[in-house]
């Protein structure tokens, strides 16, 4: 039984080899996501699923290469978008990006450089974030991803099995390339903040 109470595939199946833009309603907000199915997709057979989360400030479209990869290697791909607030870009709440300063001080190296990145959901009683290291939303991103997985796994016949070895190796290589590109883009962006 799925978290949402369903027992398998319930949505109208997508066309094989298709990619669809959808909207997730979670935490009282609507966020876009794209889901794609590979050629040969069978609606009543469980398929591997790759969930690709974008980087800070990036739209879900920034992860579009995964859809081509999934189509070529036989797995479903979902690229959701994190919450945007107050004119600040989409982000995911997690991993020390809020709650600074922590027990050991600031959670980033240059809090003064990013003081303008306080998302409205993070404002404390003083009307400010703790310091300039609060770079993401304080909304429930875990709940958002859980709701997305309920929707996808219940409606698109995804399953919780590892990818086949060949697809996993190709996915790891593509992830390394994407990580290198993201690191380069982050370095350029950080240099603009200096």
């Amino acid at each position: 039984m799925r978290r949402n109470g369903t027992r398998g595939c319930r949505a109208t199946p997508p066309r094989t080899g298709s990619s669809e833009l959808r909207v997730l309603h979670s935490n009282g907000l609507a966020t876009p996501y794209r889901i794609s199915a590979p050629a040969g997709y069978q609606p009543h057979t469980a398929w591997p699923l790759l969930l690709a989360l974008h980087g800070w400030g990036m739209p879900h479209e920034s992860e579009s290469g995964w859809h081509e990869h999934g189509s070529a290697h036989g797995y479903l791909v979902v690229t959701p978008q994190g919450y945007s607030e107050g004119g600040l870009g989409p982000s995911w709440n997690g991993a020390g990006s809020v709650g600074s300063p922590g027990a050991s001080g600031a959670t980033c190296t240059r809090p003064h450089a990013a003081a303008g990145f306080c998302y409205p959901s993070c404002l404390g009683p003083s009307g400010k974030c703790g310091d300039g290291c609060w770079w993401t939303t304080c909304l429930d991103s875990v709940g958002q991803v859980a709701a997305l997985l309920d929707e996808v796994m219940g409606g698109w016949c995804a399953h919780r099995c590892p990818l086949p070895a060949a697809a996993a190796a190709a996915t790891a290589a593509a992830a390394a390339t994407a990580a290198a590109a993201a690191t380069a883009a982050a370095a350029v962006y950080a240099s603009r903040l200096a």
Side-chain angles (χ1 to χ4, degrees):
M1 173 125 2
R2 310 243 185 258
R3 276 182 4 106
N4 64 5
T6 65
R7 289 191 177 274
C9 308
R10 60 179 164 35
T12 302
R15 291 175 296 127
T16 185
S18 70
S19 175
E20 296 179 11
L21 182 62
R22 294 195 172 186
V23 176
L24 175 70
H25 297 277
S26 172
N27 297 319
L29 299 168
T31 53
Y33 71 94
R34 181 164 297 282
I35 184 165
S36 60
Y41 171 80
Q42 298 293 318
H44 299 291
T45 302
W47 285 77
L49 168 69
L50 173 71
L51 175 66
L53 304 179
H54 60 78
W56 178 71
M58 304 297 289
H60 69 93
E61 293 94 346
S62 66
E63 301 300 317
S64 63
W66 291 114
H67 294 284
E68 290 176 26
H69 194 268
S71 181
H73 295 279
Y75 56 91
L76 298 168
V77 175
V78 177
T79 54
Q81 185 160 299
Y83 294 122
S84 299
E85 304 174 63
L88 297 170
S91 68
W92 303 103
N93 176 359
S97 55
V98 297
S100 184
S104 299
T107 58
C108 65
T109 58
R110 297 172 51 205
H112 63 281
F117 295 122
C118 181
Y119 283 70
S121 61
C122 298
L123 295 174
S126 67
K128 299 179 185 178
C129 286
D131 63 18
C133 297
W134 291 49
W135 291 14
T136 66
T137 181
C138 285
L139 296 173
D140 183 10
S141 295
V142 173
Q144 177 189 13
V145 170
L148 176 66
L149 289 174
D150 278 351
E151 184 169 307
V152 169
M153 293 181 79
W156 281 63
C157 289
H159 66 103
R160 298 176 189 202
C161 296
L163 290 174
T171 300
T177 301
T183 300
V188 169
Y189 185 76
S191 70
R192 292 180 185 162
L193 291 176

